Amino acid sequence: MAAPSSIYLDNNATTHLDPRVAARLSDLVSRPLANPASQHRAGRQALALLEEAKTSILEAVGAPCRGMDTAQVILTSGGTEANNLALLGITRLRPGTVIVGSTEHPSVLEAAQKATDPTHPLRLIPVDPFGRYDLKILEHWLRDPQPISLVSLMLGNNETGVLQDLTRICGLCSAAGVPVHSDIVQAFGKIPFDMSALGLSALTITAHKVHGPVGIGALVALRDTQLEPLVVGGGQQLGMRAGTEPVMLAVALAAALKEIELARQSGVYDAVASRRDRFEQSLSGLGDVRVISRDTPRLPHTSNVAFLGLERQALHMALDLAGVACSAGSACSSGSSRPSPVLLAMGLPEEMVNSSLRFSLSKFTSDEEIDAAAEIIARVVRKLRPKVASVTP
């Protein structure tokens, strides 16, 4: 089989722009858009587009979007800023202990460290070897008489795809009167999700993980969630984030969320999960291959594979040269040769941590690409590890 010139299996880092979202952006680019804060007619027209986009975002994530309880949509530059706003913005107005997971995204972990004061030490929930948070520890900590500022736990891990029991997490925190924030950047649109049904106080989304443009994300927070802004100086977004709102990007974010959710509802991600499983099964014939958290509920598009006996950076570079784009860890740690903090937190053997690569599919990944990628990986692994068995995708 002739392999494509480049097979993109790094969709957890960023996704390609959906043609329908691109068309919506193109339409807006051709129209003169005013500043939505301006009081003239053109400004009011831009504001109407902005408010329509915000309502669509609320509807997409299942947040309250009607009446006095309508949730806040605070547009940001992406997921990192939204996570920072949640961790720092909530905790500054609600002093207490901050509880986050040990395998969270760096933008949550580092913001949580910054939000912590000497009187309320940061608490990190450990994970088991499958990457699942120990909720018995969370339950124990929630009974602590000391005030708890916030619990922040992601829905689906960006490196392993492991899903957390957000329903139980929210139930435990609700009973204790503690707000919950969740980074759903990797999970939204791939699995069912409803903010109101879960009882989340706040969540983070970003466009470029769901086939939208880079540069736009949002923190969605319940109306009564108090936040201290990180960016001040203009009073926009009810004072929660100063600066002229990017109307075009907001509309594109709303469009991307709609398209990705429609894809999930139509069964596209069931097919993606089948392709991922087929891909992993193909690699199993290589010998000394381990799929991390294979038997644990995972996101349908994420596969973290350890090629025992090989060094991840060398294999990553060889695959790149051979035409397969994947990742040696989180894209936010690009350029770093350090082992994955997520896999280390899971307590996995050093050999497994140092030989793992992440492959992430999208709704646009084809069967042909999966088969070709498996062949290329087999060829490269054989070259780096000559005695490996053959693979038949």
Side-chain angles (χ1 to χ4, degrees):
M1 177 187 299
S5 58
S6 180
I7 303 171
Y8 187 73
L9 297 180
D10 196 22
N11 288 279
N12 282 17
T14 200
T15 55
H16 298 320
L17 195 63
D18 187 310
R20 289 171 290 274
V21 177
R24 186 72 177 109
L25 269 173
S26 178
D27 174 61
L28 291 172
V29 167
S30 65
R31 297 164 56 182
L33 285 177
N35 188 321
S38 298
Q39 298 301 306
H40 45 63
R41 179 183 298 177
R44 294 195 302 272
Q45 290 172 340
L47 179 61
L49 279 174
L50 183 65
E51 293 303 319
E52 181 183 352
K54 287 188 174 183
T55 298
S56 295
I57 291 168
L58 292 175
E59 291 174 343
V61 300
C65 58
R66 297 288 184 273
M68 297 298 292
D69 292 331
T70 298
Q72 309 170 70
V73 178
I74 304 160
L75 299 173
T76 66
S77 59
T80 291
E81 184 189 339
N83 282 338
N84 273 258
L85 179 58
L87 270 293
L88 297 172
I90 293 175
T91 58
R92 286 174 179 174
L93 298 180
R94 184 186 167 92
T97 298
V98 179
I99 300 175
V100 301
S102 58
T103 57
E104 292 294 308
H105 189 273
S107 61
V108 168
L109 288 170
E110 293 185 29
Q113 291 170 352
K114 191 173 182 180
T116 301
D117 64 68
T119 61
H120 301 101
L122 174 65
R123 285 182 161 173
L124 296 177
I125 302 177
V127 292
D128 63 19
F130 301 99
R132 300 170 300 198
Y133 287 132
D134 188 335
L135 299 188
K136 289 184 179 179
I137 289 180
L138 172 61
E139 193 171 8
H140 174 71
W141 286 346
L142 289 171
R143 290 196 294 265
D144 194 313
Q146 294 296 319
I148 298 174
S149 176
L150 179 70
V151 171
S152 181
L153 298 171
M154 62 171 39
L155 176 53
N157 190 269
N158 53 301
E159 290 194 37
T160 64
V162 170
L163 292 168
Q164 305 297 337
D165 189 351
L166 207 52
T167 299
R168 187 179 172 208
I169 290 166
C170 289
L172 291 172
C173 292
S174 176
V178 176
V180 182
H181 162 262
S182 185
D183 175 348
I184 68 165
V185 161
Q186 290 293 354
F188 182 77
K190 287 85 173 183
I191 60 173
F193 181 84
D194 189 302
M195 180 181 184
S196 295
L198 286 169
L200 277 174
S201 296
L203 62 83
T204 291
I205 53 176
T206 192
H208 77 106
K209 306 291 190 179
V210 289
H211 302 285
V214 174
I216 181 72
L219 179 69
V220 178
L222 296 181
R223 176 60 60 185
D224 60 358
T225 301
Q226 295 186 328
L227 292 159
E228 181 174 301
L230 304 183
V231 181
V232 297
Q236 292 91 344
Q237 304 201 65
L238 300 177
M240 290 297 99
R241 205 264 193 181
T244 302
E245 296 100 326
V247 177
M248 283 189 292
L249 292 178
V251 172
L253 170 59
L257 293 178
K258 179 180 179 181
E259 291 295 340
I260 199 78
E261 178 61 8
L262 287 174
R264 185 198 66 78
Q265 292 175 2
S266 62
V268 168
Y269 276 90
D270 293 334
V272 170
S274 295
R275 291 188 183 101
R276 179 204 62 191
D277 293 345
R278 174 176 170 176
F279 173 71
E280 292 174 351
Q281 184 60 38
S282 297
L283 298 181
S284 65
L286 287 167
D288 285 336
V289 169
R290 303 289 185 272
V291 177
I292 295 170
S293 299
R294 184 173 195 163
D295 297 322
T296 305
R298 290 179 291 157
L299 293 170
H301 65 298
T302 304
S303 179
N304 198 307
V305 183
F307 300 84
L308 302 183
L310 297 179
E311 199 278 321
R312 61 189 171 84
Q313 293 284 12
L315 179 56
H316 179 255
M317 292 175 62
L319 289 177
D320 184 36
L321 291 172
V324 174
C326 59
S327 173
S330 170
C332 294
S333 301
S334 61
S336 171
S337 61
R338 295 179 303 165
S340 163
V342 171
L343 303 187
L344 290 174
M346 292 167 63
L348 298 180
E350 182 178 355
E351 182 185 19
M352 188 176 292
V353 174
N354 290 334
S355 62
S356 73
L357 293 178
R358 181 188 68 185
F359 303 90
S360 43
L361 290 63
S362 83
K363 63 180 182 178
F364 296 125
T365 306
S366 68
D367 289 327
E368 291 75 17
E369 287 177 310
I370 287 299
D371 291 343
E375 286 189 3
I376 292 170
I377 294 168
R379 186 170 68 247
V380 170
V381 169
R382 288 192 197 103
K383 184 176 180 179
L384 296 178
R385 193 172 65 195
K387 294 183 180 180
V388 74
S390 61
V391 60
T392 303

